[in-house]
Amino acid sequence: MVVTSYPAWGQLLATSILISTCLAEPTPHTSEVQLRALPNSPSGDYAPAVVSCPQDRPTVRSAQKLSQQETSWLERRRKATVDHMIKLVERNKIDGFDAGAYIRNAADNDLSSLPNIAIAVSGGGYRALMNGAGFLAAADDRTTDSTGPGGIGGLLQASTYLAGLSGGGWLVGSIFANNFSSVEALRNGLSPDTDVWNFTNSIFAGPHESFLQKTGYWFDIVEQVGDKADAGFETSITDYWGRALSYQLINAPQGGPAYTFSSIAEVDHFKNAETPFPILVADGRAPGERIISLNTTVFEFNPYEMGSFDPTIFAFVPTKYIASNFSNGVIPKDGSCVNGFDQLGFVMGTSSSLFNQFLLQNISAADTKIPSIVVSAIEKILASISDDNNDIAQYAPNPFYKYNPSTNPSAESPELSLVDGGEDLQNIPLHPLIQPTRKVDVIFAVDSSADTTYNWPNGTALRASYDRSLLSDIANGTLFPPVPDANTFINSRLNQRPTFFGCDVKNFTNGAPPPLLIYIPNAPYSAYSNVSTFTPAYTSSERNEIIRNGYNVATMGNNTVDGSWTTCVSCAIFSRSWARTNTAVPQQCVDCFERFCWDGTLNSSSTSLTENYEPGFIAGQGSSEETKDNAAAPAGAGLSGMGMMHVAVAGVLSLSLAL
């Protein structure tokens, strides 16, 4: 382990916070959402701990193929998606095509021809969490009315992979931390005031009201991070950020300090492959590097492993043993094994470390409810860490120490520095899903990025992934569909409705074609969902309206904006499978692809629209004044006459009782 200098926690706190026997323990922020990931950290708390190494010591393995664990899990998962997929595509049927029979035949005779679905949820803070939650609610057959007319319920259950990054990573992490609970359950709880996703108090103030309780919230966080340092592990601002996130996202006392990301693999519903495979994404930062470029190493965390498919590392280590003393791919006989470093909040915080500076700079200004005596203490602690240039997520010991030294930029560093997965502009976590070894057919890419002046997406994340695929030294032969420039996205309204990229497999001649991308951009269907990435608190009404808007985006207003949408979702699911099996594309799907596929046409001119993009409502009559006030800008000229598929749909806001 790496032991570093550490602030004198007790002394610092004693001078800054009133520590006494009257300091109340925070009231547990829990609800009746049942079961969770496992609190299996060997310390029983936030700090990792040294454990006895298993007889077969953990090793670093090559990324040439998937791990045996993931491979075995996939065999179970692919079969588990069959019934859900059949129900989805038979509800949203394709004329002249027996979708159910096609899937049953694939499941019985050739599992490789079965469509392989993934969902990717972008970064963007709470905006991304809530908008992404709306999409997942629409895709979840447990959501009220999601399997009715115009619904896509069951898409989540039919999916193999679910990836998140930054705010999208909070969504994925929270769902899996809480036993794959539905969005409805996390939003509503089972009785009044039991909602897990209660964002009324900012993350800076914590989930409690009284002075002593808020003081206790931060004292608990400081004490837990201090325990990690006292155990000999490097700490960073990400530890504080991750602990604070956990209080808002994990249904357990003190935000579940002993819950680990690898424990997801030990929960029955995951072991039985009843859920998609969760992946969170972060970027590597090489020693001495400050600017994160497209050729930075992209890392992933999944319940089994952490590592990268990029040629710089091209290796994975067991997530459960991340902070063990790996050297050149092995743990030597005199090296230690460690468990508990992959604490759930810390992994979510790693994927969203962009917020570290937000925490550092805004703790005093973001919420005047925070007691000044607490602000003083936390600012001193955070400043001392920042002065040591330690404001990122530090993984020490470096699990890839001395591994692949010819290409690994951190091979000689005792620590591995990771940062927010969107800092290289790839703000949608597509990298793990486009790897040929995972054989994904279609990705529903939910984009809540704030690319424009008023916090709407313009395809920047897709373009970054496409541009990266052209860099031969880092792409490693991974292909990506071409995408247009930002002005084309706006001028052609590609950021106001779903758009398919990579429709024609004949355009990919060098290797296996990449997945078909179904781009789902955040847009104002029924609410001004373009709230700032750094807004730290939301009323229940605001939260609900943004989630509802995400639901409307996912369903195109329950098919009221475009009546062909749900059928076209079925067409997209089958597209790559049809190409593999040389199956003729039904005419209804030919029409869908003509309607939703980008045809390569560019419209790159700069206009008043591209320079000051302010869309109006796409469906319904709009959101409350409360949500409007929190949005980055009021509605502009609207969409009428702009060539967009647009109708004003009365009553669309009541499309779901739950949302």
Side-chain angles (χ1 to χ4, degrees), residues 29 95 158 285 297 350 376 378 399 486 558 571 658:
H29 182 54
D95 293 342
R285 194 177 87 170
T297 302
T350 297
S376 177
I378 301 302
N558 267 23
C571 295

Side-chain angles (χ1 to χ4, degrees), residues 198-283:
N198 188 328
F199 307 141
T200 304
N201 278 5
S202 83
I203 198 169
F204 302 102
H208 316 298
E209 290 300 331
S210 74
F211 173 88
L212 289 178
Q213 286 175 330
K214 279 198 286 284
T215 305
Y217 163 70
W218 277 108
F219 173 74
D220 283 343
I221 290 174
V222 168
E223 184 176 48
Q224 290 159 3
V225 177
D227 289 343
K228 179 177 178 178
D230 289 342
F233 294 91
E234 185 93 13
T235 59
S236 63
I237 295 179
T238 301
D239 287 280
Y240 299 93
W241 178 246
R243 290 303 304 126
L245 278 174
S246 296
Y247 274 81
Q248 292 203 331
L249 301 177
I250 299 178
N251 178 43
Q254 298 179 304
Y259 288 79
T260 63
F261 198 76
S262 59
S263 76
I264 294 170
E266 304 301 322
V267 179
D268 285 343
H269 63 75
F270 181 81
K271 289 195 293 185
N272 296 333
E274 297 169 7
T275 75
F277 192 84
I279 301 174
L280 301 191
V281 172
D283 288 340

Side-chain angles (χ1 to χ4, degrees), residues 12-13 16-18 204-205 211 214-215 218-219 222 359-383:
L12 179 57
L13 283 168
S16 305
I17 297 181
L18 298 175
F204 302 102
F211 173 88
K214 279 198 286 284
T215 305
W218 277 108
F219 173 74
V222 168
L359 177 62
L360 189 65
Q361 295 171 8
N362 292 279
I363 191 169
S364 60
D367 194 322
T368 57
K369 294 180 182 179
I370 306 175
S372 59
I373 202 163
V374 178
V375 171
S376 177
I378 301 302
E379 283 184 335
K380 288 180 181 179
I381 293 167
L382 297 182

Side-chain angles (χ1 to χ4, degrees), residues 164-166 280-285 296-301 306-308 347 349-353 393 395 418-424 429 431:
L165 179 159
S166 197
L280 301 191
V281 172
D283 288 340
R285 194 177 87 170
T296 193
T297 302
V298 177
F299 287 85
E300 72 169 67
F301 293 81
M306 170 265 192
S308 179
V347 174
T350 297
S351 183
S352 60
S353 66
Y395 283 69
L418 300 181
V419 299
D420 190 295
E423 287 198 30
D424 62 353
H431 182 270

Side-chain angles (χ1 to χ4, degrees), residues 122-342:
S122 81
Y126 286 100
R127 180 186 64 250
L129 183 154
M130 293 182 288
N131 182 57
F135 180 90
L136 292 188
D140 190 342
D141 62 17
R142 298 171 295 178
T143 301
T144 306
D145 295 336
S146 68
T147 58
I152 59 170
L155 178 64
L156 179 62
Q157 284 73 19
S159 296
T160 304
Y161 292 99
L162 175 59
L165 179 159
S166 197
W170 306 347
L171 171 64
V172 174
S174 182
I175 287 173
F176 277 89
N178 296 294
N179 195 41
F180 201 67
S181 293
S182 69
V183 168
E184 277 188 335
L186 292 168
R187 195 206 65 174
N188 297 343
L190 297 181
S191 60
D193 299 320
T194 64
D195 47 333
V196 177
W197 290 349
N198 188 328
F199 307 141
T200 304
N201 278 5
S202 83
I203 198 169
F204 302 102
H208 316 298
E209 290 300 331
S210 74
F211 173 88
L212 289 178
Q213 286 175 330
K214 279 198 286 284
T215 305
Y217 163 70
W218 277 108
F219 173 74
D220 283 343
I221 290 174
V222 168
E223 184 176 48
Q224 290 159 3
V225 177
D227 289 343
K228 179 177 178 178
D230 289 342
F233 294 91
E234 185 93 13
T235 59
S236 63
I237 295 179
T238 301
D239 287 280
Y240 299 93
W241 178 246
R243 290 303 304 126
L245 278 174
S246 296
Y247 274 81
Q248 292 203 331
L249 301 177
I250 299 178
N251 178 43
Q254 298 179 304
Y259 288 79
T260 63
F261 198 76
S262 59
S263 76
I264 294 170
E266 304 301 322
V267 179
D268 285 343
H269 63 75
F270 181 81
K271 289 195 293 185
N272 296 333
E274 297 169 7
T275 75
F277 192 84
I279 301 174
L280 301 191
V281 172
D283 288 340
R285 194 177 87 170
E289 185 179 65
R290 293 295 176 268
I291 298 175
I292 306 301
S293 61
L294 278 178
N295 63 359
T296 193
T297 302
V298 177
F299 287 85
E300 72 169 67
F301 293 81
N302 67 58
Y304 296 130
E305 296 184 306
M306 170 265 192
S308 179
F309 286 100
D310 286 344
T312 47
I313 301 292
F314 202 60
F316 286 85
V317 297
T319 304
K320 184 176 181 179
Y321 290 99
I322 284 177
S324 302
N325 285 118
F326 289 97
S327 180
N328 194 23
V330 300
I331 301 174
K333 290 184 177 180
D334 60 348
S336 300
C337 285
V338 170
N339 286 172
F341 195 91
D342 62 314

